[in-house]
């Protein structure tokens, strides 16, 4: 899950994120923390080797010591950065400080700043924020168990709403009309692609037709194709 924090410089964002990291780390969650800094602030130190590697044209420069490593990338797009991080750590909690203008991120407002789009909570209370994040984690777990078709056959607009209702004991996972469907499972670049009934049948029949023409293939009960 991804949650952002924004507010004035004295609103306690960093202190709150540190407390949350300590709390969720004690519960064995994997944590990623992202800090957005001003455009005039350099993350890498000018004159250091990693800085010189990057300046000379390296897309990624890495500094490694006996205790830690630092990776510097010429990437500014948050979505791209998060995709890379998700490949390093599976299902982490990602805390972001800043980036209040990014309307794709669910955000918590701390202090008296202007309210920005996709603000889901306004609070400086640790327990309230912690409880909200724990709820979001559980809803996202349920959502990952749903097919992700957003078909509306359950009566809800999308799978997220269905997941919320399952979390609140208003529905069960079995209420999803496609949860037990026979699935043609397709992964592209590590991401699962969900198909509706028409596309499932189209892919299945096309692949079966192609495979049945191959020598040595008789009655096809199941098959697996991998391209890596």
């Amino acid at each position: 899950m991804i949650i952002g924090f924004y507010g004035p410089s004295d609103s306690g964002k960093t202190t709150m994120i540190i407390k949350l990291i300590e709390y969720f780390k004690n519960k064995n969650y994997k944590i990623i923390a992202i800090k957005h800094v001003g455009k005039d602030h350099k993350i890498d130190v000018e004159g250091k080797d990693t800085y010189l590697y990057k300046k000379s044209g390296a897309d990624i420069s890495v500094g490694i010591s006996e205790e830690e490593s630092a990776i510097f990338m010429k990437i500014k797009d948050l979505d791209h950065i998060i995709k890379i991080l998700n490949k390093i750590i599976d299902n982490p909690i990602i805390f972001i400080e800043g980036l209040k203008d990014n309307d794709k991120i669910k955000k918590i407002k701390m202090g008296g700043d202007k309210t920005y789009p996709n603000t889901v909570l306004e609070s400086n209370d640790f327990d309230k924020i912690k409880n909200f994040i724990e709820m979001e984690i559980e809803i996202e777990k349920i959502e990952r168990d749903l097919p992700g078709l957003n078909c509306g056959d359950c009566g809800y607009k999308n799978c997220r709403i269905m997941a919320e209702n399952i979390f609140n004991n208003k529905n069960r996972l079995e209420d999803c009309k496609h949860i037990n469907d026979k699935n043609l499972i397709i992964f592209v670049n590590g991401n699962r692609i969900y198909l509706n009934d028409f596309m499932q049948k189209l892919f299945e029949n096309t692949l079966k037709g192609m495979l049945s023409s191959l020598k040595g293939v008789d009655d096809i009960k199941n098959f697996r194709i991998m391209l890596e």
Side-chain angles (χ1 to χ4, degrees):
M1 76 151 292
I2 304 171
I3 191 75
F5 292 80
Y6 72 93
S9 58
D10 60 349
S11 60
K13 302 183 296 297
T14 302
T15 302
M16 178 63 70
I17 291 172
I18 290 171
K19 287 179 67 176
L20 290 167
I21 290 172
E22 292 171 345
Y23 174 82
F24 284 103
K25 195 63 183 175
N26 285 334
K27 289 183 169 289
N28 296 318
Y29 284 96
K30 299 296 184 182
I31 310 292
I32 293 174
I34 298 175
K35 166 76 175 182
H36 179 247
V37 297
K39 61 182 180 179
D40 295 328
H41 183 91
K42 285 185 170 61
I43 297 172
D44 200 4
V45 178
E46 189 169 352
K48 293 293 185 180
D49 291 343
T50 49
Y51 176 88
L52 296 173
Y53 296 152
K54 186 173 60 176
K55 190 176 180 181
S56 66
D59 294 301
I60 297 176
S61 59
V62 182
I64 302 174
S65 74
E66 291 183 1
E67 295 188 4
E68 61 185 1
S69 302
I71 300 174
F72 302 95
M73 302 179 290
K74 286 187 175 180
I75 299 173
K76 299 177 183 178
D77 179 67
L78 180 65
D79 290 341
H80 192 178
I81 293 168
I82 288 173
K83 283 181 182 178
I84 293 171
L85 295 174
N86 277 319
K87 290 181 183 295
I88 299 171
I89 298 178
D90 189 38
N91 291 324
I93 301 174
I94 301 178
F95 295 119
I96 301 176
E97 183 177 347
L99 292 175
K100 56 192 176 184
D101 293 318
N102 190 315
D103 58 7
K104 295 179 183 178
I105 303 169
K106 291 181 180 178
K107 295 182 287 294
I108 294 173
K109 173 183 173 183
M110 298 182 64
D113 204 347
K114 157 187 174 181
T115 301
Y116 287 83
N118 213 1
T119 297
V120 293
L121 186 65
E122 298 184 19
S123 179
N124 285 62
D125 182 83
F126 173 77
D127 286 329
K128 190 172 183 179
I129 293 173
K130 178 257 295 179
N131 291 339
F132 174 82
I133 292 172
E134 289 180 324
M135 178 188 72
E136 280 293 304
I137 289 170
E138 292 305 313
I139 291 173
E140 288 190 9
K141 284 181 182 176
I142 296 169
E143 193 174 3
R144 285 197 296 271
D145 288 334
L146 292 168
L149 297 172
N150 296 322
C151 59
D153 290 348
C154 60
Y156 301 118
K157 183 178 178 181
N158 53 49
C159 292
R160 165 70 192 199
I161 298 174
M162 180 64 159
E164 291 174 357
N165 280 281
I166 294 171
F167 175 81
N168 291 313
N169 297 315
K170 295 179 180 178
N171 286 99
R172 300 175 305 158
L173 199 62
E174 294 77 16
D175 292 334
C176 171
K177 297 185 182 299
H178 300 283
I179 197 70
N180 294 315
D181 286 357
K182 177 183 177 183
N183 282 323
L184 176 68
I185 302 174
I186 297 178
F187 284 87
V188 177
N189 298 328
N191 299 313
R192 184 172 177 179
I193 308 300
Y194 288 93
L195 307 173
N196 60 28
D197 291 341
F198 172 77
M199 291 303 297
Q200 284 231 11
K201 187 58 67 177
L202 177 63
F203 268 84
E204 182 180 345
N205 290 340
T206 301
L207 291 170
K208 278 186 175 180
M210 294 171 64
L211 291 171
S212 62
S213 66
L214 299 176
K215 185 178 179 179
V217 177
D218 297 318
D219 183 27
I220 300 175
K221 293 184 173 61
N222 57 69
F223 58 88
R224 177 178 293 183
I225 299 174
M226 297 179 66
L227 176 64
E228 293 186 331

